[in-house]
């Protein structure tokens, strides 16, 4: 049952990314182009995700434990270290240059674009090297 729910969650997430056009790097890059062909769509996607996450976490964390585990696995560290700052900076730079982040890139593989495949391969190599 757990694997079926994980699969359904992933499919729902991918569908949402596709529906909101977040698998299209041009939409992301146009959001970042505030003095050019600016597109506010990503802002609405982010606000929607923030609302769902806020309500979802508030509801979930009232429970004693998750449905398929013994405890919640939440980050406990509250300090900024060099690894976090460097990783976040590299993510932001890569996102701004390519217009992809991991979720939309993986969802975008279904479109069969070679550019997306190259990004995912580079992403996986980077993950392996880190």
């Amino acid at each position: 049952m757990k694997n079926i729910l994980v699969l359904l969650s992933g499919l729902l997430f991918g569908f949402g990314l596709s529906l909101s056009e977040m698998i299209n790097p041009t939409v992301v890059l146009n959001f970042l182009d505030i003095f050019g062909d600016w597109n506010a769509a990503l802002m609405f996607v982010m606000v929607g995700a923030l609302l769902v996450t806020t309500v979802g976490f508030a509801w979930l964390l009232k429970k004693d434990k998750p449905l398929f585990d013994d405890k919640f696995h939440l980050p406990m560290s509250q300090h900024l270290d060099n690894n976090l700052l460097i990783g976040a900076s590299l993510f932001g730079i890569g996102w701004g240059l390519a217009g992809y982040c991991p979720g939309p890139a993986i969802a975008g593989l279904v479109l069969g674009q070679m550019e997306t495949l190259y990004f995912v391969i580079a992403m996986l190599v980077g993950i392996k090297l880190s």
Side-chain angles (χ1 to χ4, degrees):
M1 185 63 162
K2 176 181 175 182
N3 290 338
I4 291 171
L5 286 176
V6 168
L7 176 64
L8 290 175
S9 297
L11 290 172
L12 179 63
F13 182 65
F15 176 74
L17 290 171
S18 178
L19 184 65
S20 63
E21 293 191 58
M22 292 301 108
I23 62 174
N24 180 354
T26 304
V27 171
V28 174
L29 294 174
N30 284 346
F31 172 74
L32 299 173
D33 186 11
I34 57 174
F35 297 113
D37 191 18
W38 190 65
N39 179 348
L42 180 57
M43 181 174 54
F44 294 110
V45 171
M46 288 181 176
V47 168
L50 185 61
L51 290 173
V52 169
T53 300
T54 302
V55 171
F57 266 88
W59 177 73
L60 281 173
L61 292 178
K62 289 181 181 176
K63 306 221 175 275
D64 294 330
K65 65 183 185 96
L67 196 57
F68 294 109
D69 205 343
D70 295 330
K71 65 177 183 161
F72 288 103
H73 300 274
L74 301 172
M76 295 298 148
S77 176
Q78 294 186 347
H79 72 281
L80 300 176
D81 61 7
N82 285 339
N83 287 341
L84 177 63
L85 295 174
I86 291 169
S89 298
L90 288 173
F91 174 88
I93 291 167
W95 184 60
L97 290 173
Y100 287 111
C101 67
I106 291 170
L109 286 174
V110 299
L111 298 178
Q113 296 173 337
M114 294 306 292
E115 162 186 296
T116 308
L117 179 61
Y118 297 147
F119 177 86
V120 170
I121 290 170
M123 177 183 72
L124 293 174
V125 168
I127 290 170
K128 187 69 175 167
L129 292 175
S130 64

